[in-house]
Amino acid sequence: MLLAAGRLAIGDVELPRLGLAVAEGEALSGVAEDALIAEVHISRDEQGTGG
């Protein structure tokens, strides 16, 4: 996930603006204040070029 605006804390870590967090399941739970969050998916095609 990408924190675009606001505040987001996951556990005892607070993400900076435009900070990225890589986590799954319950690790994603946290505290948000007026947060704008984008979910980011990165994948590779069959040739491994990312397109």
Side-chain angles (χ1 to χ4, degrees):
M1 79 177 76
L2 169 76
L3 177 63
R7 293 182 61 198
L8 175 65
I10 300 174
D12 60 352
V13 176
E14 186 167 333
L15 266 65
R17 185 173 167 269
L18 301 180
L20 290 170
V22 178
E24 293 181 311
E26 291 185 23
L28 289 176
S29 63
V31 177
E33 292 182 18
D34 296 324
L36 175 59
I37 301 167
E39 187 173 327
V40 179
H41 295 267
I42 301 171
S43 63
R44 292 181 181 228
D45 59 15
E46 290 182 17
Q47 289 79 33
T49 59

